[in-house]
Amino acid sequence: MADKQALVIFGATGDLALKMITPSLYFLDMEHHLPDDLIIVGVARSVMDDAAFAAKVRDSVARHAGADFNEEVWSRFAGRLSYCAGDVTDDAPYRKLAERLKDCAIPLCYLSTSPDFFGPIARHLKTSGLVHAETRIAVEKPIGHDLQSSRDIEAALEESFPTDRILRVDHYLGKDTVQNLIALRFANTLFEPLWNKDSIEHVQISVAETVGVERRWSYYDSYGALRDIVQNHMLQLLCLIAMEPPPDLEAESVHAEKVKVLRSLRPIGAAEVERETVRGQYRKGYTESGAVPGYTEETGGGVSDTETFVALRAHIDNWRWAGVPFFLRTGKRLPQRATQIVVQFKPVPHSIFHRTMNVPNRLLIRLQPQEEIALQIMNKTPELEAVRLAPVTLDLNLIDAFRTTRRRIAYERLIFDALKGSAFLFVRRDEVETAWSWIDRIAAGWKERDMRPLPYTAGTWGPSSSFALTERQGYSWVE
Ligand code: NAD
């Protein structure tokens, strides 16, 4: 019988672990969602002792928590923390872990490292006797670089963990608003009858960042926007918008519906890339923070054909969505930080008001900078002299109706579910692989057509041809 439970974080001193994972664990502790006997062990390369690790975590938690930082909660949380230094490709840290955790159950190993380490870490865990019947392994996106590398990583993980104990994280799925999108669609009768080609004109999904690549240059340069953002976050959002109602909320039921959407994506290959996609790379320019360098001039940068911007038009070839374009756009060094989905409904079939006054209804689902859901509907203004219409935004922020405290970090929900063993908010292997097949074809098309990224000035909305992508069909990007 185990004395304690242990959660092991690999890459515990990295950006993601300090910025998101440890603060999420602190908040879970604050709300009494962590088992009393849970200890948290950080593993990373830097040499430091437990106290130095705890001090690093404290800095980051305090920054994140602001007014929610509480010394009493911190001291309970700090009592759970310890650190194990070592190279994850060597045996040494696993020997130390095996010794330290010999009386512990290990419900979760969280891999917040480069995907190159996923296979080696899983293998070492297994050979060191650290994979028990209850142990799950959580891995961060991106899983691989293309379909083949993702299959290689999965095969390596599956050598050490049963497939249902591998949790693939896409943190967008942990956001309240994303889960609320599922409730909005399937817990209300209002939208579902309209949720198809007859009523919806087009859908836009945007992930706009103001930041550049900065210190992550060498990582980013081997991925680019298509692999770093479109393959995972954006296709996951597209799945939730487009999927059929699942029979229930079991993980397998939802995953099956998402895979059907991914399989229905019309392939975009060499014959289509020039028409359906736009690639861009930022040049130096100005943002809110002042003058910024171009992508190739970032620290550690150099000559590169990697895209920092992608816009594309996708089609889902099934009965529900035939003919409805899904426009996807993501980029770095854009004018605003905004992650949003816009579902634009068709115009009224016959307008009794002046044509120019009619703005189509839009459902707006925003994940960043703040989470919100809003419906834009047309209203008459109260003037006497003329009949005028104006769009009014109906706030559907159901989250706020229930919220009495702070907004949660997406990782809180994901770690909570991972500890419980619920796979609903994680991504199944075939979702990752079907997404890679679609993405690989685009990347191969770019290569075959020698379609290099077009330059855009930092602080603008990308190459002008991305506007043509929507305007060709009479639409414009919603900013
Ligand atoms: P990072 O470079 O900041 O951190 C990497 C961590 O791994 C550090 O703790 C480092 O010490 C450790 N590490 C590296 N090599 C090691 C080795 N040989 N042995 C032991 N430890 C080693 O990276 P990050 O930004 O935290 O990202 C981690 C993973 O999460 C990446 O796969 C990234 O793509 C993914 N991710 C990051 C973010 C983010 O916001 N940073 C968001 C989503 C996904």
Side-chain angles (χ1 to χ4, degrees), residues 11-16 19 44-45 86-88 112-115 117 140-142 215-216 219 411:
T13 58
D15 181 63
L16 179 70
K19 210 172 59 188
R45 208 169 21 189
D87 187 321
V88 292
S112 178
T113 66
S114 147
F117 295 133
E140 273 294 334
K141 72 97 201 175
R215 66 168 195 90
R216 298 181 82 211
Y219 156 80
Y411 283 90

Side-chain angles (χ1 to χ4, degrees), residues 10 45 86-94 116-121 124:
F10 289 88
R45 208 169 21 189
D87 187 321
V88 292
T89 58
D90 289 347
D91 292 337
Y94 304 92
D116 296 343
F117 295 133
F118 293 170
I121 294 175
H124 278 289

Side-chain angles (χ1 to χ4, degrees), residues 271-411:
E272 296 86 18
V273 279
E274 280 151 331
R275 193 181 66 238
E276 305 295 353
T277 74
V278 176
R279 285 182 94 190
Q281 189 188 77
Y282 61 84
R283 297 286 183 263
K284 68 180 177 197
Y286 288 89
T287 65
E288 277 173 355
S289 53
V292 291
Y295 176 70
T296 53
E297 297 141 13
E298 296 270 19
T299 314
V303 177
S304 169
D305 276 340
T306 297
E307 78 287 348
T308 60
F309 176 97
V310 183
L312 60 85
R313 184 174 68 156
H315 280 99
I316 298 170
D317 285 335
N318 64 19
W319 276 43
R320 188 187 280 265
W321 296 112
V324 179
F326 283 68
F327 295 103
L328 274 52
R329 177 173 73 163
T330 183
K332 292 201 175 279
R333 291 276 190 235
L334 301 187
Q336 276 171 33
R337 174 170 174 253
T339 299
Q340 64 182 24
I341 304 168
V342 177
V343 178
Q344 178 148 323
F345 291 88
K346 289 194 166 164
V348 292
H350 166 69
S351 179
I352 60 170
F353 300 96
H354 191 277
R355 188 167 56 76
T356 54
M357 285 194 231
N358 257 323
V359 178
N361 297 130
R362 281 179 185 151
L363 181 69
L364 180 75
I365 299 135
R366 190 168 279 153
L367 313 184
Q368 274 166 343
Q370 67 281 353
E371 297 194 38
E372 63 176 329
I373 301 184
L375 183 64
Q376 184 178 291
I377 53 172
M378 293 309 290
N379 249 260
K380 199 187 88 57
T381 60
E383 294 150 275
L384 286 181
E385 314 84 299
V387 178
R388 273 190 231 284
L389 298 179
V392 173
T393 301
L394 201 63
D395 184 355
L396 299 182
N397 270 336
L398 309 179
I399 299 168
D400 285 337
F402 300 110
R403 191 173 302 284
T404 51
T405 55
R406 65 189 177 84
R407 281 185 182 278
R408 290 211 169 86
I409 311 175
Y411 283 90

